[in-house]
Amino acid sequence: MPSKLRSSLLPRLLLLSLLLLLFYSLLLLRRPIASSNLVSPPPCDLFSGRWVFNPDTPKPLYDETCPFHRNAWNCLRNKRENTDVINSWRWVPNGCGLSRIDPTRFLRMMRNKNVGFVGDSLNENFLVSFLCILRVADPSAVKWKKKKAWRGAYFPKFNVTVAYHRSVLLSKYQWQPKKSSAEANQDGVKGIYRVDVDVPANEWINVTSFYDVLIFNSGHWWGYDKFPKETPLVFYRKGNPINPPLDILQGFEVVLQHMVFYIQREVPEKTLKFWRLQSPRHFYGGDWNQNGSCLLEKPLEESQEQWSEQRS
């Protein structure tokens, strides 16, 4: 009899053990895991930080012999004063680190890919420095100006192209002079720059599929110093003048809306897209075309930036 009892209880005990084990497992699944295991590092906002002066900051990766320099803007060759002081400033994001760019690592990651910049001289100046940095990893790099690129370079060791397409307003615009000098003398307007707000500029409209990364910018050309009342911007949409007419800042906003819509609709989804903001003006003694000079040796303070933006 005892053996029969044991034989009948054994399956029940096994079943009960399995049930208890299942119940315990469910409790473990529902039990909160220690917060230290779940907490992920805070996101790194590279745009929130401060400039830090460090005289021990390494020198630039390239020198004045880089073939991609723009001669008039080659601060190293032209012996720009206090270059060492300027290069001692480093941007440090709040709460996270920002290591120095490694051109070899970058080109390896971008192997068989292409990077395009579209916009005004802010993008162009950045590109020139960027090309010189990347050339450290591939001295065989050559100049590249295909597909209507204003300037660029090809890095054969990695099969990477990095180029800039000059398009200061992003949208298509063209000069239309007055038909006769008599007309110009009547109101002082020599002609207009027609801006088609819904049509991208020819310099980049047909090349977006070539690039795996695109960086856009515009801003500094949207001012009356570039387009005074004698040669104003006049905005068109669907081939017709916009009525009532837009002022220059309203036109800028409308162009951006149309260009963003075009990029979202027409640029391949796989393409990584960035929008670069504009830097504040920093000229002293006049603007860029009025004998102004950049005499700064340190970054602008926040109050100076706000003042500069108000002037822009």
Side-chain angles (χ1 to χ4, degrees):
M1 184 71 180
S3 62
K4 290 183 178 181
L5 180 61
R6 283 196 298 270
S7 62
S8 62
L9 285 176
L10 186 58
R12 295 179 184 179
L13 289 173
L14 288 173
L15 178 61
L16 181 60
S17 300
L18 290 173
L19 290 173
L20 287 173
L21 183 60
L22 177 63
F23 179 69
Y24 181 67
S25 300
L26 290 174
L27 284 178
L28 287 178
L29 289 174
R30 297 184 63 182
R31 182 181 173 184
I33 302 173
S35 59
S36 60
N37 295 331
L38 281 178
V39 174
S40 58
C44 183
D45 183 359
L46 299 178
F47 304 98
S48 176
R50 65 198 185 282
W51 288 100
V52 175
F53 183 81
N54 181 6
D56 297 325
T57 299
K59 293 183 178 181
L61 294 172
Y62 57 89
D63 60 24
E64 68 275 7
T65 64
C66 174
F68 304 121
H69 273 304
R70 302 166 66 192
N71 290 332
W73 285 265
N74 189 338
C75 295
L76 298 174
R77 176 174 292 171
N78 297 328
K79 307 299 180 183
R80 201 262 198 226
E81 294 182 5
N82 299 319
T83 301
D84 290 340
V85 175
I86 296 171
N87 288 331
S88 296
W89 289 94
R90 181 183 177 189
W91 178 255
V92 178
N94 294 329
C96 55
L98 179 61
S99 59
R100 196 182 197 194
I101 184 172
D102 182 340
T104 301
R105 181 167 178 257
F106 177 86
L107 287 171
R108 283 175 179 168
M109 294 176 63
M110 294 302 296
R111 187 182 297 275
N112 301 321
K113 291 182 172 58
N114 305 310
V115 181
F117 292 79
V118 179
D120 59 28
S121 60
L122 288 185
N123 259 356
E124 181 179 10
N125 292 338
F126 177 88
L127 173 102
V128 169
S129 178
F130 192 41
L131 295 181
C132 290
I133 290 172
L134 297 181
R135 182 177 175 270
V136 174
D138 186 1
S140 63
V142 294
K143 294 182 179 180
W144 190 91
K145 297 181 69 173
K146 300 178 182 179
K147 297 184 179 293
K148 295 188 177 182
W150 187 261
R151 64 178 70 246
Y154 174 66
F155 300 87
K157 185 177 177 181
F158 301 90
N159 191 31
V160 172
T161 298
V162 183
Y164 161 71
H165 296 260
R166 188 175 187 270
S167 179
V168 297
L169 302 185
L170 294 183
S171 62
K172 180 180 179 180
Y173 80 104
Q174 57 185 346
W175 169 246
Q176 294 183 346
K178 285 287 186 70
K179 294 181 179 179
S180 65
S181 57
E183 285 185 277
N185 293 332
Q186 290 178 358
D187 54 10
V189 177
K190 302 175 183 177
I192 66 166
Y193 284 97
R194 168 177 168 164
V195 182
D196 289 279
V197 300
D198 49 352
V199 181
N202 293 332
E203 287 76 9
W204 67 276
I205 188 172
N206 294 319
V207 300
T208 55
S209 61
F210 175 73
Y211 293 105
D212 301 278
V213 181
L214 279 168
I215 301 96
F216 296 91
N217 96 295
S218 186
H220 278 308
W221 277 71
W222 294 89
Y224 292 105
D225 58 326
K226 302 285 189 180
F227 300 101
K229 61 181 181 180
E230 296 83 9
T231 56
L233 297 177
V234 176
F235 300 97
Y236 284 66
R237 181 163 42 208
K238 295 183 179 180
N240 299 309
I242 296 178
N243 285 308
L246 305 177
D247 65 32
I248 196 165
L249 293 182
Q250 291 172 330
F252 183 27
E253 183 177 357
V254 173
V255 164
L256 289 185
Q257 291 171 351
H258 280 280
M259 293 302 100
V260 169
F261 178 72
Y262 175 86
I263 292 168
Q264 291 174 336
R265 186 186 72 239
E266 299 294 339
V267 177
E269 188 175 353
K270 66 177 182 63
T271 303
L272 186 60
K273 311 164 191 73
F274 292 95
W275 180 265
R276 185 186 176 198
L277 301 179
Q278 67 185 75
S279 61
R281 295 174 182 269
H282 47 264
F283 292 100
Y284 281 84
D287 214 331
W288 67 274
N289 58 346
Q290 298 171 341
N291 296 320
S293 299
C294 179
L295 305 176
L296 297 177
E297 296 179 1
K298 62 180 182 178
L300 295 176
E301 302 289 342
E302 185 174 354
S303 58
Q304 292 176 302
E305 292 180 4
Q306 293 173 350
W307 175 80
S308 178
E309 290 169 359
Q310 291 171 358
R311 290 181 64 242
S312 299

